[in-house]
């Protein structure tokens, strides 16, 4: 799996958008970008993933650059409950892949602190 | 579904004792993963199973660690004998064919004194 680089920490005011960057310059054509987060003392939680198109779900939006070498996770209206470590992970994913394809290699992530 | 269930949530044991951590994956999932999290090394994959068969155990730190999955609804991670450096939070996760994400349990916080 391709290596990712994230800033160690970021701050965000509650109610504002939190934009978390991730560099993955060695990403391969068949690798997806995944985002997970880990709220203190809990297990990691899936947020969103994408290949090359921008993606949006009820939690966040994922913007992937055209060359796919970087991406940004956007939490449109951050709340105090979004304070967590956010992990950007690049891995292969394809339809029909066994569950073992969800083997994840975690980096150090970005500690997002949302403040009043 | 109750999600991935791990037990115990906390375990304190003395050095040299055997420790067994337990995991019940989400029903219908056929892949199960064991991770360890420490401040120094972050989240590390120890081993994963597919259809109850260990596929990759390259992350298991040493022979003191062993994992089993006797059936689709239960897995154990055993440390014998335990050492203080094994103190960590151990997470179990499950996933399945056609499922694009892994679901994690709440973890077991192990302290070896």
């Amino acid at each position: 799996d391709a290596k990712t680089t994230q800033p160690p920490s970021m701050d965000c005011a509650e109610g504002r958008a939190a934009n978390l960057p991730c560099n993955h310059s060695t990403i391969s054509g068949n690798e997806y970008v995944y985002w997970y987060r880990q709220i203190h003392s809990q297990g990691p939680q899936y947020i969103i993933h994408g290949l090359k198109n921008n993606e949006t779900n009820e939690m966040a939006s994922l913007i992937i650059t055209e060359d796919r070498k970087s991406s940004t996770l956007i939490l449109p209206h951050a709340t105090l409950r979004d304070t967590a470590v956010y992990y950007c992970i690049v891995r292969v994913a394809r339809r029909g892949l066994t569950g073992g394809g969800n083997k994840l290699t975690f980096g150090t992530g970005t500690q997002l602190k949302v403040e009043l | 579904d109750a999600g991935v269930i791990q037990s115990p949530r906390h375990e304190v044991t003395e050095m040299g004792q055997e420790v067994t951590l337990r995991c019940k994956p989400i029903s219908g999932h056929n892949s199960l993963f064991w991770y360890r999290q420490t401040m120094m090394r972050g989240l590390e994959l120890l081993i994963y199973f597919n259809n109850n068969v260990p596929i990759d155990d390259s992350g298991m730190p040493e022979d003191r660690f062993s994992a089993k999955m006797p059936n689709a609804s239960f897995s154990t991670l055993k440390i014998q004998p335990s050492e203080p450096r094994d103190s960590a939070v151990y997470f179990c996760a499950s996933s399945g064919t056609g499922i694009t994400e892994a679901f994690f349990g709440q973890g077991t916080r192990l302290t070896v004194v």
Side-chain angles (χ1 to χ4, degrees):
Chain A
D1 293 340
K3 182 178 178 180
T4 62
T5 304
Q6 300 177 251
S9 64
M10 293 183 64
D11 294 332
C12 179
E14 188 177 36
R16 304 298 293 268
N19 297 285
L20 293 93
C22 178
N23 286 320
H24 31 78
S25 58
T26 60
I27 192 170
S28 300
N30 64 346
E31 290 182 312
Y32 285 63
V33 180
Y34 276 72
W35 285 83
Y36 281 74
R37 74 179 182 183
Q38 186 176 25
I39 296 171
H40 182 62
S41 298
Q42 298 183 20
Q45 175 192 24
Y46 166 83
I47 301 173
I48 197 168
H49 75 281
L51 181 62
K52 56 183 178 180
N53 297 320
N54 297 338
E55 302 287 344
T56 296
N57 62 21
E58 65 278 5
M59 290 182 68
S61 295
L62 174 60
I63 308 298
I64 303 174
T65 59
E66 191 170 342
D67 63 6
R68 302 207 325 120
K69 293 185 177 182
S70 65
S71 61
T72 301
L73 178 74
I74 301 172
L75 307 178
H77 305 287
T79 70
L80 298 178
R81 289 176 296 180
D82 292 321
T83 293
V85 178
Y86 287 77
Y87 297 98
C88 170
I89 300 167
V90 174
R91 53 163 285 257
V92 175
R94 57 185 182 272
R95 188 182 298 278
L97 186 71
T98 66
N102 282 308
K103 178 179 70 169
L104 301 170
T105 301
F106 289 87
T108 54
T110 295
Q111 171 67 63
L112 174 68
K113 186 176 181 181
V114 181
E115 301 173 304
L116 291 172
Chain B
D1 199 315
V4 176
I5 299 173
Q6 292 186 244
S7 63
R9 289 295 309 277
H10 302 273
E11 176 80 34
V12 180
T13 190
E14 292 186 347
M15 181 174 62
Q17 296 297 307
E18 177 180 295
V19 176
T20 299
L21 310 181
R22 297 173 175 78
C23 176
K24 175 179 169 55
I26 293 173
S27 177
H29 285 190
N30 63 344
S31 294
L32 184 138
F33 311 83
W34 282 102
Y35 290 85
R36 178 174 69 174
Q37 186 171 32
T38 61
M39 288 292 293
M40 291 295 294
R41 301 176 66 88
L43 270 161
E44 304 173 280
L45 178 66
L46 299 178
I47 185 171
Y48 87 90
F49 295 82
N50 209 46
N51 295 322
N52 311 337
V53 176
I55 302 300
D56 182 358
D57 65 355
S58 60
M60 296 287 262
E62 46 195 283
D63 293 344
R64 297 184 296 106
F65 286 70
S66 62
K68 294 183 179 180
M69 192 164 186
N71 58 62
S73 60
F74 184 65
S75 176
T76 60
L77 178 66
K78 184 177 295 185
I79 308 173
Q80 166 64 20
S82 58
E83 297 182 4
R85 59 196 170 114
D86 301 331
S87 297
V89 181
Y90 291 80
F91 289 102
C92 176
S94 72
S95 188
T97 301
I99 298 172
T100 56
E101 62 186 278
F103 295 81
F104 286 77
Q106 291 299 299
T108 294
R109 180 175 295 278
L110 173 66
T111 303
V112 183
V113 298

